[in-house]
Amino acid sequence: MIEGLQLEPGAVVYEAGSGGYNAELLAHVTGPTGRVVTGDVDPYVVHRTRRLTGEAGSGRVTAFQGDAALGVPAGLVPRGGFDGSVITYGVWDIAPAWRGQLAEGGRLALPLEIGGYTRAITLRRTGNVLHAERFTHCGFIRAQGEHVRAVPVVGLLGGELQLRFEDGDPAPAQGLEEALRRPRHEVATGVKMGSGFLFGSLQLYMATTLPGFCRLSAHREAGTGVTLIAKDGDAPAILGNASLAPRPRPDPARRQSGRQGMGMGRPCLRRARSAARRAVGGHGTGLGT
């Protein structure tokens, strides 16, 4: 994420979410004339950051206590804005202050949750628009303060299964428990992936395009319940009318994506199969457009 900021010597950088170590890395990258401002909502973390950065000795890190999603206090913002900003906790949206306090041409790196899947994305400001330049897979703790939000969860079969709706209100699940006890259908998409294809791309495509998308988690050993999902694991799924179609972990030997359908699941399966085909398109190793 620091590399993605493409910081020059003398840059002034904002870090949302403190700790000390990362702030000193930023101070090292920006050099003797650079400066780092780091903020955190937790007073203990801020105290620890000040102690550790004081021991590190660069003298170029300023820590403040406050909700990092609200931006930096006015007296600490450089004229023209920050040359780069990095968010060190998982967020589901981009706070207006992060763009507003970023200099023209400056870069923002943040772990953005999309349908429950997190990508560290680097964006560059051009006017009032943030343009994505690169991304990578990552995992971070979730936000506190202004960016906290609850994830709706629907329990099924006495807690054996849970549906998580990461990006909105839960979809209707009436009749689903009865449907889950019916025979399971399995359908192959017919799509074979190249060795360079990331299945995470298919998950992200589904999360951002398909109505009824959710994540199905299991709390019994695989093979003992109604799904083949391992205990405490989860899978992307599509919720339909009294039906559910999760995508199980693909067979690495065959490199082929498949779907399971439970209840009256064939419409869900058809939607999932079509999505897999659209996702790889004719490219084989990436997202189709």
Side-chain angles (χ1 to χ4, degrees):
M1 292 173 71
I2 294 176
E3 181 182 10
L5 294 177
Q6 300 184 37
L7 299 169
E8 299 288 341
V12 183
V13 186
Y14 172 43
E15 179 194 42
S18 302
Y21 178 73
N22 195 62
E24 281 295 334
L25 289 180
L26 290 165
H28 176 76
V29 170
T30 58
T33 58
R35 185 163 62 91
V36 178
V37 178
T38 180
D40 200 283
V41 72
D42 188 330
Y44 170 77
V45 172
V46 174
H47 173 77
R48 179 176 179 271
T49 298
R50 288 170 176 161
R51 177 174 61 83
L52 293 177
T53 55
E55 293 174 359
S58 74
R60 299 189 298 276
V61 177
T62 301
F64 72 91
Q65 182 188 344
D67 193 333
L70 301 179
V72 179
L76 297 176
V77 180
R79 185 184 299 273
F82 290 98
D83 301 300
S85 296
V86 58
I87 316 304
T88 62
Y89 54 87
V91 299
W92 57 274
D93 200 359
I94 299 173
W98 298 339
R99 187 196 66 182
Q101 294 183 340
L102 192 64
E104 177 70 15
R107 290 178 172 85
L108 169 66
L110 77 169
L112 188 63
E113 292 188 12
I114 307 169
Y117 300 101
T118 306
R119 301 292 185 270
I121 303 176
T122 302
L123 306 109
R124 185 175 186 181
R125 179 174 181 177
T126 304
N128 288 324
V129 179
L130 294 172
H131 296 271
E133 291 186 330
R134 57 184 288 179
F135 79 92
T136 187
H137 294 74
C138 67
F140 282 81
I141 62 170
R142 286 187 163 176
Q144 301 180 54
E146 186 78 4
H147 261 177
V148 167
R149 67 167 184 165
V151 175
V153 175
V154 175
L156 299 170
L157 302 179
E160 178 180 344
L161 301 176
Q162 282 188 342
L163 297 178
R164 295 175 57 87
F165 298 88
E166 301 280 351
D167 281 346
D169 297 330
Q174 290 86 351
L176 189 55
E177 289 206 6
E178 179 183 350
L180 290 172
R181 295 185 174 92
R182 297 176 182 173
R184 181 175 64 235
H185 308 286
E186 296 189 15
V187 176
T189 62
V191 175
K192 294 185 178 180
M193 316 298 188
S195 59
F197 184 84
L198 297 176
F199 282 97
S201 298
L202 178 56
Q203 294 169 344
L204 198 59
Y205 180 86
M206 292 173 56
T208 54
T209 59
L210 295 184
F213 178 84
C214 59
R215 294 177 70 171
L216 175 67
S217 58
H219 300 284
R220 292 181 61 181
E221 295 292 351
T224 64
V226 297
T227 79
L228 298 180
I229 302 172
K231 182 181 179 181
D232 298 326
D234 70 8
I238 301 171
L239 180 63
N241 182 19
S243 60
L244 185 67
R247 185 185 70 81
R249 184 175 295 275
D251 182 350
R254 298 174 60 198
R255 297 291 297 177
Q256 181 166 308
S257 177
R259 275 277 164 186
Q260 300 171 5
M262 289 168 281
M264 302 298 290
R266 295 188 185 277
C268 284
L269 286 169
R270 286 195 294 269
R271 275 195 289 155
R273 181 168 53 186
S274 297
R277 290 173 173 170
R278 288 196 304 270
V280 296
H283 308 282
T285 58
L287 285 177
T289 55

